[in-house]
Every structure is written in C-alpha cells, then in structure tokens.
Amino acid sequence: MSCTDLGEMSLSFPSGTATPPLPDGVRVSVAYRATDSRTGATVTGGRASGTISCDRVPFSGVRASDVIPASLPAGVAPGDKLTGSWSVSVSVAVPEAIQPAQLAPNAQALTSQAFPFAATLQSFLSTRSSLASAAVFDAGTGATYSLAPQNSYVTASIVKVDILATLLRRTQVAGRGLTSSEQATAARMIEFSDNTAATALWNEVGGGPGVAQFNSLIGMANTVPGSGGLWGLTRTTVEDQVQLMRTVAYPNAVLGASQRAYLHGLMQNVTPAQRWGVSGGVPAGTTVALKNGWLPVSGGWEINSIGHIAGSGRDYVIAVLTSRNPSMGYGITTVEGLSVRIWSGITSHQVQEPILSEWNATGGGGGFLGYPTTDALPTADTLGRYQLFQGGSIYWSAATGAHEVHGGMRDEWKSLSYENGFLGYPTTDALPTADTLGRYQLFQGGSIYWSAATGAHEVHGAIRDTWNSLGHEAGSIGYPTSDALITPDGSGRYQEFQGATVQWDQATNTTTVIPKQVIPKQVIPKQ
C-alpha cells in the first residue's frame, strides 16, 4: 500500500508490523475495527492518528489473536473470528536541515546571485508564514538567481523528475529506448503523479543509490535521496532543483536530445488539476513544463514546484520550494505568488551598469520604474545611453551620470527633444519641491518643475535666475504655468507663472516681473 508522496509503505498483515524499518521521523500507526462472529460485538483498538491517512485494509474471518497481537479486549477469546479492517496512517517529522552531500568528482555546484528584484520577493514573503526558497536559471543571460538557497526541503513528488531522468540516463548508456511498459509507467508518474508508478521506477533504477549516482553526474551536491524506499522524503535545495531542470531543458553531456524531449513532453502534459505552481502569472501561449509535489508533515505542508518557462521574451528554469504551510492551498498561494513576481522580473531585457545602480536605487522592479521594456540603447547624440522601463526611463552620460526621468516631467522633456534639446541630460533624479506640493528635476541647461495644479514646465536662463531670486515655487509668483515663449515683437522671451509674468529682453539681458492683474470681486449690495 502507498502513502501519498512518501513512497511505498510496505505493511505486513495480519501482524500489523511495518517492514522494513522506517527512517527516523516516520511512524506508522494502525487501528482496527471489527465484528466478533461469536458474540456479534464490535471490537476496536489500536491508534491511527498520523498526519497522512494511507489506507484501510480489510480482513475477514481472522482469529482474534492474529488481529490483536497484544492483550485481548474483555469478552474476546483468542479463537474468535473477526471481520473488519485495519486503518493505517503515517506521521512524518522532518528535520529543518541536512548535511550537504559530497560533490562528485568533476561536478560543479551551482553558483547563484541574489535576484535583482529580491526586495519584491521578500516583501511578498513578509506577508506569509511559509518558509520559502526560489531559484532561476535565465537562459537569455546565463545568470542564476536565488532566494534563501541555504534552506533544504522534503521533495515530495518533484523527485519523480529526478527518478525518470535517472532511468533515461541508464537507458541512454545501455543504448536502448524505454520499453512500452516503462513508457506507460513514466507517463503515469509524471502526468498524474502516480505513486505506485514512481515506486516501480525508483526500484528499477536502484533506489536512492541509483538516483544519487545520477545526481552526482549533474552536480546536485545537496540532494539526499530518501531511505527505506521513501523517495518522497528525499531532501533537496532550490539550486539543486534548478540544476536538474537545466539538464531537462537545455543541451548537456548527460541527457541526449531525445531523452530530454521525452521527459519535457511529459511535464508539459501534466493533468490540468496539477498545473498550479511555477505556472503562476504565466500568460496563455507560453510553454510551461512543470512538476509539483505536496506532502503534509508535522510542521505543516511541504509544497514544491519546478519547471521550464519559455515564451513572451523569456526562457528560464525555476524551482520554488516551501514548507511550514498551514494548508495545501496556502502553500500553493505562496508558490504562485513568488512565480508571478519572478515572471514579471525575468524579462528578455537586462539592466547592466551604470544604469543598474540607478535602477536599484529607485527600488528595482518593485519601485516606480518597474521592469525594463528595452535593453540599454545609444542616445540620439551618441554621447550616452538610455533604457526604457514600465514607469519611465534612465538616461546616462559620462558627464552627468545615470538619472531616472518619469511622469509629467519626462513628457515635458520629451516635448523639448530629450537630451538633444537645450535642456540636455538630467543631472538629478526627480526631487520634492520645498513646499512639498510638487517635484522638480535639474538638467544641464535648466530645470523642469511640476505640480498637480500647473503641470510640468521647463525654466531656464535669465528667467530661471530671476525666479530663483524670488524664492522658486515657494516665493511670491509660485509655479510656472507655461514654458518660455517668444515675445510677440521677437525681442526676447516671456514665461507665465501663477502670480506674475517674467519677461526677458535680449538686447539688454534684463528681466521684468509683471504681476498678474487681480480683478476684485464685484460686491452687489443687497436690495
């Protein structure tokens, strides 16, 4: 008989004892309920209170001394014939950490870096009680990112990918394909997460030692196969699972193209009820190959998902592993919450220095700029570079450094021909105004000021100097309400502000402040 996502639990009846001996932390309990054919009485006993209910095993006409190996309940004779069933359950207590396995000769452990949008992932996890880790290999850049890679988890059914990969390697080395029986068993194991099928293939590849041998070939240095036939209690890390998925998804020296395509195809054909997990947030039309695992243990549910995502400008393999989930649904929400944020963060457009530091300073993908929508591009004047993001842009030149431009001020700068106009490149990010009612940004040739009441307008030259002397927006004439305009006679420029017009004469290089005419309200006397 099988217990969900643990592996084969071989139980011997009628004695009710478990064989072979179980690993530390795994306990099988057996209860019985039967009718005594001699007295007609209902007989109960034992204890079945584990976290996983495995099965009910019926029996009929069995001597009481065989059903109940301990002392018999009152009124029951050893020779009485009993008919009923045993109820079997399993309690699993898993440790929080494991010792790393020895890395096989010539194998390389995965080296990762923090996600560029780690703050976004951490912010989400701060609202969850789950312990969670995630890792991604981005085929577009060759970068591997991870979050909490030091944590280890019980695999539950994601180990089935490892089992089939081990079998495919063995048949490849033997120069043969899978038999029709092996294909049918593999399909049940991956597409429907069938545990009996998993046990059959686990045993075929040599159990834990056989899987460990394959893992050493691909550098899964911190995965420890479950013992005693309990493949579901294999221990692993997100980096090891990404290493496994890289072997499934991309060309390598261990699995050939046909073997990879076969396993990948099964993972694409997982039954719809099990297509949750790293598919979270991935739009229709994107190729998704995945395998999930779920297992209730003493500290809560272990909910895991691994897969390959390709399409819409992205190509990556991903592993999200979680524990301490109060329910299966809660764990799925945690996995999918991380998946959707990773989908948004891993794009075909990468951010590199010197623009990267500025983007990180704005909050990265979790900030107001969001994620990149282009690669870094040369500016029209060829003196710098710029990159577009969901919420704005970052412009860089050697003379000014990298600065963001967004919102109404970016629109105003755009209307003035970006860096090719008289304002040139930005020399600051957007900053709050002294009166806290707006924002401003400095450029090589002037400034742009914005408020909700007036919109965004440039200020430059002598008019800006005069306005500065009057206290900027906090002074007597307030925010600009227009850009600088040519005077009707062509003698200079003028600009409208909330409280005045500032006019500049080109011939004399002087400015004049003309207060707005205030028309008093007419007071109509009462009749």
Side-chain angles (χ1 to χ4, degrees), residues 41-187:
T42 297
V43 181
T44 61
R47 177 174 172 270
S49 57
T51 54
I52 305 169
S53 177
C54 291
D55 208 348
R56 300 183 71 85
V57 181
F59 57 85
S60 178
V62 177
R63 288 169 53 90
S65 58
D66 291 330
V67 173
I68 312 164
S71 59
L72 298 175
V76 178
D80 287 356
K81 298 297 182 66
L82 303 183
T83 297
S85 64
W86 288 283
S87 298
V88 184
S89 64
V90 174
S91 176
V92 183
V94 296
E96 288 296 331
I98 56 171
Q99 293 298 317
Q102 288 294 317
L103 189 61
N106 302 319
Q108 294 290 323
L110 197 64
T111 300
S112 63
Q113 56 187 300
F115 282 96
F117 44 92
T120 301
L121 304 181
Q122 292 284 15
S123 177
F124 167 70
L125 286 178
S126 69
T127 68
R128 313 293 295 171
S129 64
S130 312
L131 177 68
S133 299
V136 162
F137 169 73
D138 184 354
T141 64
T144 302
Y145 305 113
S146 65
L147 175 74
Q150 74 281 359
N151 296 333
S152 67
Y153 299 84
V154 171
T155 59
S157 274
I158 61 171
V159 76
K160 293 169 182 175
V161 176
D162 205 1
I163 296 171
L164 183 51
T166 302
L167 176 62
L168 290 170
R169 169 65 182 178
R170 286 180 170 237
T171 59
Q172 176 181 305
V173 170
R176 70 172 182 88
L178 296 181
T179 66
S180 58
S181 175
E182 287 171 334
Q183 290 182 37
T185 304

Side-chain angles (χ1 to χ4, degrees), residues 343-357:
W343 166 264
S344 296
I346 299 294
T347 75
S348 59
H349 307 297
Q350 299 303 309
V351 188
Q352 298 178 342
E353 295 294 359
I355 291 175
L356 178 60
S357 293

Side-chain angles (χ1 to χ4, degrees), residues 72-415:
L72 298 175
V76 178
D80 287 356
K81 298 297 182 66
L82 303 183
T83 297
S85 64
W86 288 283
S87 298
V88 184
S89 64
V90 174
S91 176
V92 183
V94 296
E96 288 296 331
I98 56 171
Q99 293 298 317
Q102 288 294 317
L103 189 61
N106 302 319
Q108 294 290 323
L110 197 64
T111 300
S112 63
Q113 56 187 300
F115 282 96
F117 44 92
T120 301
L121 304 181
Q122 292 284 15
S123 177
F124 167 70
L125 286 178
S126 69
T127 68
R128 313 293 295 171
S129 64
S130 312
L131 177 68
S133 299
V136 162
F137 169 73
D138 184 354
T141 64
T144 302
Y145 305 113
S146 65
L147 175 74
Q150 74 281 359
N151 296 333
S152 67
Y153 299 84
V154 171
T155 59
S157 274
I158 61 171
V159 76
K160 293 169 182 175
V161 176
D162 205 1
I163 296 171
L164 183 51
T166 302
L167 176 62
L168 290 170
R169 169 65 182 178
R170 286 180 170 237
T171 59
Q172 176 181 305
V173 170
R176 70 172 182 88
L178 296 181
T179 66
S180 58
S181 175
E182 287 171 334
Q183 290 182 37
T185 304
R188 292 198 309 273
M189 178 177 71
I190 299 297
E191 295 179 353
F192 298 96
S193 204
D194 185 274
N195 293 332
T196 301
T199 296
L201 296 185
W202 173 269
N203 292 335
E204 182 176 343
V205 301
V211 172
Q213 184 179 35
F214 171 78
N215 290 348
S216 72
L217 290 175
I218 63 173
M220 291 175 64
N222 294 293
T223 296
V224 178
S227 61
L230 301 185
W231 42 260
L233 293 186
T234 296
R235 273 285 193 172
T236 194
T237 65
V238 285
E239 289 182 338
D240 273 13
Q241 291 303 303
V242 162
Q243 195 83 314
L244 173 63
M245 284 309 307
R246 286 180 66 174
T247 306
V248 174
Y250 307 118
N252 61 88
V254 177
L255 286 183
S258 61
Q259 287 78 12
R260 292 189 299 103
Y262 176 72
L263 177 48
H264 198 276
L266 294 181
M267 294 178 70
Q268 287 181 248
N269 199 41
V270 166
T271 186
Q274 296 178 19
R275 293 192 64 79
W276 48 265
V278 295
S279 58
V282 177
T286 305
T287 299
V288 178
L290 58 71
K291 184 69 191 80
N292 298 323
W294 56 97
L295 176 67
V297 298
S298 57
W301 283 75
E302 304 266 339
I303 304 294
N304 305 319
S305 186
I306 59 175
H308 177 211
I309 312 296
S312 302
R314 299 160 174 84
D315 186 352
Y316 61 89
V317 293
I318 178 174
V320 180
L321 309 181
T322 73
S323 62
R324 303 178 189 172
N325 298 289
S327 68
M328 181 175 177
Y330 187 96
I332 291 174
T333 299
T334 299
V335 171
E336 293 189 338
L338 289 171
S339 174
V340 68
R341 287 161 175 81
I342 290 170
W343 166 264
S344 296
I346 299 294
T347 75
S348 59
H349 307 297
Q350 299 303 309
V351 188
Q352 298 178 342
E353 295 294 359
I355 291 175
L356 178 60
S357 293
E358 170 69 5
W359 184 50
N360 285 337
T362 68
F368 61 86
L369 286 180
Y371 294 100
T373 58
T374 70
D375 293 331
L377 302 168
T379 53
D381 67 359
T382 73
L383 298 178
R385 297 184 69 79
Y386 73 97
Q387 190 160 4
L388 304 184
F389 295 79
Q390 292 170 310
S393 309
I394 293 177
Y395 275 74
W396 170 89
S397 75
T400 59
H403 298 287
E404 61 81 15
V405 195
H406 74 283
M409 289 190 288
R410 180 179 179 274
D411 294 339
E412 169 71 358
W413 187 46
K414 175 182 177 181
S415 74

Side-chain angles (χ1 to χ4, degrees), residues 403-440:
H403 298 287
E404 61 81 15
V405 195
H406 74 283
M409 289 190 288
R410 180 179 179 274
D411 294 339
E412 169 71 358
W413 187 46
K414 175 182 177 181
S415 74
L416 299 171
S417 301
Y418 295 113
E419 78 283 352
N420 273 334
F422 64 85
L423 284 180
Y425 286 87
T427 59
T428 70
D429 294 349
L431 302 168
T433 52
D435 66 359
T436 72
L437 299 178
R439 296 195 308 272
Y440 73 97

